[in-house]
Amino acid sequence: MKGSGLLVNIKKRTVPPVIRQTEALLRRLPQNHPKRDTIEKEINKRWAGYRGEQALDYFLGFLPFSTYRIFHDLRLSVYGKSFQVDTIILTPQVGFLIEVKNLAGVITVDDESGQFTVVKNGITKRYQNPLAQVNRQLSQFKQWLHVHEIYTYPLLPLVAISNPNAELNFKDTLSVPITHLDVTVERIKKLHASYENKKAFSLTPLEQSLLQQHRPYYSDILQTFSIPSSHIQIGTRCPSCNEYSMTRKKLSWECPTCKTRSRIAHRLAVADYFLLYGSTLTNQTCQHFLGLHSRHAISKLLSRMPLSYIGSTNALTYLRPSNIEELIKQ
């Protein structure tokens, strides 16, 4: 039975934009492109990480106390540097920063040297140390709080391993606890109980500032994989045969290859442009990317999409939506 108290999910977890960017890059590359395998592996790795974070969300639902405020994937900036935290949990007495890792095998960490290794199927791999990672995030978040004139709010870092089959092999007590998800939630309960008699902190102003200053992370995905723009296939993609050759006929798109018709095929193309090339789109660039050379037709299509814009009527610049998922859904 889940906790009966009030657990408020202030900022829900959504698919990270960088996953959608990498997927857009993959579907816009030719089938014989030499970097497809590398990109597919990156997509699989990122989805594994995201699913690990989703597993944490399930266990957080068992928190029984009355005032937990949960923020997922917050990305903030302080002194010109950006940082992101998987999960932040705030209570009136204490806050928790949680870094989630989805790893399988035998996990070993040396707190003194900082070496973090995983042994799986007889193969040892070294990974970035999540203790150092969450401590760095803690330091940056404290700096962010200080900028907002919050100096005494206590924060505790935690590392959660989402794979229940992972074996945690630690010789000594670590400076930051590393535990499985179920144990992490139990630890949060106990730590929160130890702070319950502390002076309560008003969370509302902090919650508002966190939401207002969150900026989702978008990568320069072409540069990340060193892929020139000329390698990207342009056109409107057929949802059936995946060819980039759909043409506009009356009020819908038609594929000359398989004759599939769609009224919304352009939506994914517009999403792909925003994911690959940046936060703004003009009528002219949209004509080129969709393969539809009609200013009037493009204007009508864009006006019917959930897009904000700036500029005059004859020179509108459309802005990437805050929720790109609205465009990706077909």
Side-chain angles (χ1 to χ4, degrees):
M1 180 178 178
K2 289 199 174 187
S4 57
L6 177 63
L7 184 142
V8 183
N9 210 331
I10 302 294
K11 182 187 175 297
K12 295 183 178 181
R13 196 181 306 281
T14 57
V15 179
V18 70
I19 290 182
R20 296 306 192 195
Q21 287 186 282
T22 316
E23 290 175 337
L25 177 60
L26 183 66
R27 65 173 163 261
R28 286 277 167 177
L29 288 177
Q31 288 297 319
N32 61 352
H33 196 280
K35 291 193 175 179
R36 285 188 66 92
D37 286 347
T38 299
I39 296 169
E40 286 178 343
K41 290 178 182 177
E42 179 66 16
I43 291 172
N44 291 335
K45 183 179 76 172
R46 288 191 176 275
W47 270 113
Y50 178 67
R51 292 188 182 103
E53 294 167 9
Q54 286 182 307
L56 171 65
D57 300 344
Y58 170 77
F59 282 97
L60 291 180
F62 290 89
L63 288 171
F65 298 107
S66 59
T67 50
Y68 283 86
R69 300 288 193 270
I70 301 179
F71 298 79
H72 296 298
D73 296 325
L74 267 181
R75 183 170 178 266
L76 306 168
S77 293
V78 61
Y79 301 133
K81 293 184 178 181
S82 297
F83 65 99
Q84 183 163 323
V85 183
D86 286 347
T87 299
I88 295 177
I89 301 177
L90 303 179
T91 76
Q93 296 80 20
V94 61
F96 302 91
L97 275 67
I98 307 176
E99 176 67 22
V100 183
K101 295 298 179 185
N102 189 1
L103 298 169
V106 180
I107 299 174
T108 303
V109 60
D110 187 317
D111 209 2
E112 185 173 340
S113 67
Q115 185 164 296
F116 185 90
T117 58
V118 178
V119 179
K120 183 181 178 183
N121 298 327
I123 300 174
T124 301
K125 287 187 178 181
R126 183 174 178 179
Y127 289 84
Q128 181 181 7
N129 191 335
L131 280 72
Q133 192 174 355
V134 75
N135 276 323
R136 183 170 59 251
Q137 294 165 354
L138 178 68
S139 175
Q140 290 173 304
F141 189 44
K142 284 183 177 179
Q143 289 178 338
W144 186 92
L145 290 175
H146 291 173
V147 168
H148 292 79
E149 300 182 344
I150 300 172
Y151 302 101
T152 59
Y153 184 66
L155 292 165
L156 303 176
L158 300 168
V159 174
I161 304 299
S162 62
N163 191 321
N165 297 318
E167 180 182 336
L168 307 183
N169 182 22
F170 310 137
K171 296 179 180 178
D172 303 309
T173 301
L174 301 175
S175 57
V176 175
I178 300 180
T179 55
H180 286 110
L181 295 180
D182 53 345
V183 179
T184 300
V185 172
E186 291 303 313
R187 185 177 292 271
I188 290 172
K189 294 178 188 178
K190 292 180 181 178
L191 290 170
H192 180 245
S194 69
Y195 279 82
E196 277 191 309
N197 294 326
K198 301 291 184 180
K199 182 179 178 180
F201 184 86
S202 176
L203 294 178
T204 302
L206 176 56
E207 293 171 8
Q208 293 173 347
S209 294
L210 289 171
L211 292 176
Q212 290 171 357
Q213 298 201 19
H214 165 69
R215 296 292 182 271
Y217 173 65
Y218 280 88
S219 169
D220 184 343
I221 202 69
L222 296 182
Q223 185 179 53
T224 298
F225 291 95
S226 301
I227 293 176
S229 182
S230 59
H231 289 192
I232 300 299
Q233 299 180 98
I234 62 172
T236 302
R237 185 176 185 246
C238 173
S240 296
C241 70
N242 298 331
E243 292 292 327
Y244 286 92
S245 57
M246 297 195 89
T247 57
R248 190 74 177 168
K249 291 190 176 181
K250 294 184 179 180
L251 297 178
S252 66
W253 297 89
E254 183 177 293
C255 177
T257 304
C258 68
K259 305 305 178 184
T260 293
R261 295 180 70 88
S262 170
R263 294 176 66 90
I264 60 170
H266 59 282
R267 293 172 66 92
L268 183 60
V270 171
D272 283 351
Y273 184 89
F274 281 128
L275 291 167
L276 296 175
Y277 292 111
S279 60
T280 61
L281 172 69
T282 65
N283 187 296
Q284 185 175 0
T285 53
C286 191
Q287 288 182 54
H288 173 71
F289 195 72
L290 269 64
L292 177 59
H293 301 289
S294 168
R295 182 178 184 83
H296 176 70
I298 290 294
S299 292
K300 289 186 69 175
L301 290 175
L302 293 176
S303 68
R304 294 169 179 167
M305 297 177 66
L307 299 176
S308 300
Y309 55 83
I310 56 175
S312 61
T313 303
N314 295 325
L316 295 178
T317 297
Y318 297 87
L319 307 178
R320 181 173 57 205
S322 57
N323 183 11
I324 199 71
E325 297 294 321
E326 293 180 5
L327 300 185
I328 294 173
K329 294 176 181 178
Q330 295 290 294

